[in-house]
Amino acid sequence: MSTVLTIGADADLVARFAEAGGGDVVALGVDALAQGALLRHLAGPDAPQLVVLGPEVPLEESFAIAGQVDGAAPDTSVVVVAFADPELWLEAMRAGVRDVLSPHAGPADVAAVLERAAARAETRRVASTAVSSLPDRRVVVVASPKGGVGKTTVATNLAIGLAAAEPGSTVLVDLDVQFGDVASALALAPEFTLPDTVRGAAGNDPLVLKTFLTRHSSGLHVVAGSDSPAAGDAVTPAEVARLVDMLSGEFRYVVLDTAPGLTDHTLTALERATDLVLIGSMDVPGVRGLRKELDVLGELQLVPAGRHLVLNGAGSSGGLALADVERTVGAPLDLVLPRHDAVPLSTNTGVPLLVKGGKDPVTRGLQSLVARLAPQTAAGQGRRGRRRAGAR
């Protein structure tokens, strides 16, 4: 296995890489790109640790090559030799380039690039085994059979509560790829969105991925929903799987706010879930939808061990009793959240209830949901089998 493969680099730069890397360098001219030599070098276990694209390779072509390398050899880092500015750095990072090296780089700069490439390879190796080595990790899917039941409200508050319980522990992902509004619910203006996190370097490197996360003032990390339905639709279930796997290696709690119903993205998330928070509304269609979704997930064997049934917007005016709901669903409810004026105010201002810390029954109920997943929190006084806010 060669440590470094250079393409279109001058002899001096090749010599500096050879010195820093112990002579383990393969140097090719730009004509190798047309002949497919790069892809042959990337094939199999002998792929280089680093591909250096020299000044003779046009920048636009370098960025395209970086994307190809990410797909063919995720463990290989791409370095572009160019005079960098912040705008070029951003474009390079989005394309999958891991480093930008000045044409005048000295031996110390070259050695640093090699060290970073080795560190990234080790990080990816650790991340690939992190799922099995972190028994306490939780991947929490928040789902509902239909829209308009307060799913995002529950997801954002749950994530806020978990982040408060253990600082730096939690990331919230908006998996409603078409119409997700997690950013709005948290009053965030994200620079990057879901499609950015699954492409290029961020899609393969946990260190780069973390730079694409939006940070909420509470300490919660967020992968915001797409800016447009078309861009969100382009995100594949395979990309979602890779994103969840990487995040679960970096964070103790990964909370996934999904689209209503059972989309391919939701099913992919459930394959990795340790917990399912399934939310229904207190009306006949909502209760029947809850039962149908539970039945389907049971048939698909996608109900994780941690199952939490939530009924939102409960009240006495609809003519349904909680006993009737549980009988129809075929399972006891774990949490009942009543209607309350605090909820629409929170939604419209972008300030989650658990940030405000009120004493209303919805806030108390959400705190109890947090305690089911993080029993060390003061809000929950330990794990309990059944939590209720409001009365029958």
Side-chain angles (χ1 to χ4, degrees), residues 16-266:
R16 287 195 289 273
F17 271 105
E19 181 180 357
D24 195 6
V25 177
V26 174
L28 303 177
V30 291
D31 57 334
L33 295 174
Q35 298 168 4
L38 173 59
L39 293 179
R40 288 196 296 273
H41 278 278
L42 295 177
D46 295 329
Q49 189 176 81
L50 193 67
V51 171
V52 180
L53 302 175
E56 296 178 26
V57 183
L59 276 179
E60 186 174 336
E61 186 173 359
S62 293
F63 294 160
I65 291 169
Q68 295 172 4
V69 172
D70 259 336
D75 291 337
T76 298
S77 295
V78 175
V79 173
V80 168
V81 180
F83 293 106
D85 56 39
E87 188 173 324
L88 175 64
W89 258 110
L90 182 59
E91 186 178 358
M93 185 171 61
R94 285 178 167 172
V97 175
R98 310 301 170 91
D99 250 316
V100 178
L101 186 67
S102 168
H104 301 322
D109 299 317
V110 170
V113 165
L114 282 172
E115 289 175 6
R116 287 194 290 270
R120 290 187 194 101
E122 176 63 14
T123 298
R124 285 190 291 273
R125 185 192 67 76
V126 172
S128 68
T129 59
V131 170
S132 60
S133 64
L134 289 176
D136 291 336
R137 75 177 184 93
R138 308 293 283 267
V139 176
V140 185
V141 173
V142 183
S144 65
K146 66 173 189 172
V149 299
K151 176 177 52 58
T152 296
T153 295
V154 172
T156 51
N157 279 279
L158 173 60
I160 288 286
L162 293 172
E166 190 175 335
S169 67
T170 307
V171 60
L172 171 62
V173 183
D174 194 339
L175 273 190
D176 188 342
V177 298
Q178 286 191 327
F179 301 108
D181 54 5
V182 161
S184 174
L186 294 172
L188 294 174
E191 182 178 359
F192 303 109
T193 62
L194 176 65
D196 299 314
T197 65
V198 298
R199 310 272 161 71
N204 289 296
D205 191 327
L207 295 178
V208 177
L209 174 60
K210 282 189 171 182
T211 68
F212 280 68
L213 304 180
T214 303
R215 191 172 175 87
H216 186 259
S217 58
S218 64
L220 173 67
H221 293 82
V222 178
V223 176
S226 174
D227 291 330
S228 72
D233 264 342
V235 176
T236 68
E239 289 171 334
V240 168
R242 189 166 63 245
L243 175 65
V244 174
D245 289 343
M246 278 201 295
L247 290 174
S248 64
E250 299 295 315
F251 294 91
R252 182 174 182 184
Y253 300 107
V254 180
V255 180
L256 306 164
D257 183 25
T258 62
L262 292 175
T263 68
D264 288 341
H265 300 90
T266 300

Side-chain angles (χ1 to χ4, degrees), residues 263-358:
T263 68
D264 288 341
H265 300 90
T266 300
L267 294 175
T268 297
L270 282 167
E271 290 173 351
R272 288 154 172 76
T274 62
D275 294 83
L276 167 64
V277 178
L278 189 58
I279 304 169
S281 55
M282 197 167 179
D283 52 59
V284 171
V287 174
R288 286 178 175 171
L290 201 60
R291 173 59 186 264
K292 289 178 183 178
E293 185 147 332
L294 269 177
D295 287 346
V296 171
L297 292 177
E299 292 172 4
L300 296 174
Q301 297 183 341
L302 287 178
V303 179
R307 188 199 68 183
H308 316 272
L309 296 183
V310 178
L311 190 69
N312 196 22
S316 58
S317 61
L320 292 179
L322 292 178
D324 296 330
V325 173
E326 291 184 326
R327 199 160 36 245
T328 301
V329 173
L333 298 167
D334 297 295
L335 177 64
V336 178
L337 298 173
R339 293 189 184 92
H340 197 278
D341 291 342
V343 176
L345 178 61
S346 168
T347 301
N348 292 334
T349 58
V351 180
L353 292 168
L354 293 194
V355 169
K356 296 175 68 175

Side-chain angles (χ1 to χ4, degrees), residues 351-369:
V351 180
L353 292 168
L354 293 194
V355 169
K356 296 175 68 175
K359 302 298 184 182
D360 60 272
V362 180
T363 298
R364 294 198 304 270
L366 291 168
Q367 288 170 339
S368 73
L369 179 60

